[in-house]
Amino acid sequence: MRAGSLSLEGVFIRLRERVLIPPLTCCVPPGQVTTVMGPSGSGKSSLLAFICGTLDPVFAAGGRVRLGDVEIGGLPGVRRRIGILFQDDLLFPHMTVAENLAFGLPATVAGQRARRTRVDAVLVEAGLAGFGERDPATLSGGQRARVALLRTLLSEPQALLLDEPFGRLDLRLRDRFRRAVLEHARGRQLPTLLVTHDPEDAAAAGGPIIEIAIPEDAGLDSQPAAAGPIAMPLRRRP
């Protein structure tokens, strides 16, 4: 199934009286990578959590999220068909590499033999043939990152969210893994939203950039201003 566009319509996020994300409307077409840039604490990761249905209820949020022609904002996260990669690979330590990958497979891939065949095939394609029975703790950082990416793609997402997944890799590995992730996203025609504070990530993504800024007096640890909420400005670059 070909992915449709990922559309945000008037999406906002508040923490108590503070506006982290003012109403944001954008459309990410299939195969495009749109970057959301901003410093730590600007609400970038909270935006992705809202999109995939995992935002902590301490936040107030609203607006519409559409994937193709379907409004997915009211669906549980597991039904939204959205994949996400984080800085941490989040591999299950009590599972083998193959079991971690099989966890990402949709229920439509039925039967133990069919599921193992699919897992073995992607390991070969990723240059990890024979790694299925390995303990994740024995893998290098780059190998763990590739397994996390494979698990996300095996879930057959219709959109991809990238929550600074390159930030903890060394410079050489970061560039190679970033290219691999973006090539997979474009090759599968997935609408992709990348959040980062690294201009090199944005340059590699090559798509539109939405910049989120925090006013100097709007630290999250400060008391709400008497005049009311502070809107964090958004700036767009084509």
Side-chain angles (χ1 to χ4, degrees):
M1 181 187 300
R2 187 177 185 274
S5 296
L6 175 64
S7 302
L8 310 183
E9 302 172 9
V11 170
F12 68 88
I13 299 176
R14 295 190 184 99
L15 179 61
R16 296 184 293 276
E17 298 302 317
R18 300 289 183 181
V19 177
L20 297 179
I21 305 291
L24 169 63
T25 295
C26 68
C27 180
V28 186
Q32 179 178 284
V33 183
T34 293
T35 301
V36 179
M37 292 195 68
S40 297
S42 59
K44 306 185 304 296
S45 294
S46 298
L47 175 63
L48 298 192
F50 176 74
I51 294 170
C52 65
T54 60
L55 184 65
D56 192 303
V58 71
F59 295 92
R64 294 184 176 182
V65 180
R66 302 181 66 87
L67 190 51
D69 297 328
V70 180
E71 185 173 346
I72 62 173
L75 297 177
V78 295
R79 293 182 56 198
R80 296 191 183 194
R81 304 291 303 276
I82 293 179
I84 185 166
L85 279 177
F86 298 96
Q87 276 194 2
D88 295 319
D89 53 64
L90 301 182
L91 299 181
F92 299 119
H94 62 288
M95 293 182 177
T96 65
V97 168
E99 289 168 340
N100 267 279
L101 293 176
F103 184 85
L105 285 169
T108 52
V109 183
Q112 184 174 355
R113 178 175 296 180
R115 296 173 73 84
R116 186 55 192 254
T117 297
R118 181 76 67 87
V119 165
D120 288 343
V122 298
L123 285 172
V124 170
E125 291 171 7
L128 295 173
F131 278 64
E133 298 308 313
R134 292 273 294 270
D135 184 326
T138 68
L139 304 183
S140 68
Q143 290 166 344
R144 291 177 66 95
R146 275 187 282 169
V147 172
L149 172 62
L150 293 174
R151 183 174 63 182
T152 298
L153 296 176
L154 278 172
S155 69
E156 300 179 0
Q158 295 298 296
L160 184 61
L161 306 180
L162 304 174
D163 193 355
E164 305 198 59
F166 320 120
R168 295 188 179 176
L169 301 174
D170 64 60
L171 289 177
R172 181 182 59 83
L173 179 57
R174 181 185 309 169
D175 182 60
R176 192 167 63 195
F177 184 59
R178 181 170 53 207
R179 285 200 310 268
V181 171
L182 297 178
E183 286 172 3
H184 276 291
R186 295 184 184 115
R188 294 169 184 248
Q189 285 292 289
L190 297 175
T192 301
L193 199 59
L194 163 68
V195 302
T196 185
H197 61 270
D198 187 344
E200 291 189 8
D201 290 344
I209 299 172
I210 300 170
E211 294 183 284
I212 304 174
I214 300 181
E216 292 183 0
D217 60 348
L220 295 183
D221 294 331
S222 62
Q223 294 298 315
I230 297 176
M232 309 306 179
L234 295 175
R235 188 158 68 92
R236 298 170 185 263
R237 285 192 267 155

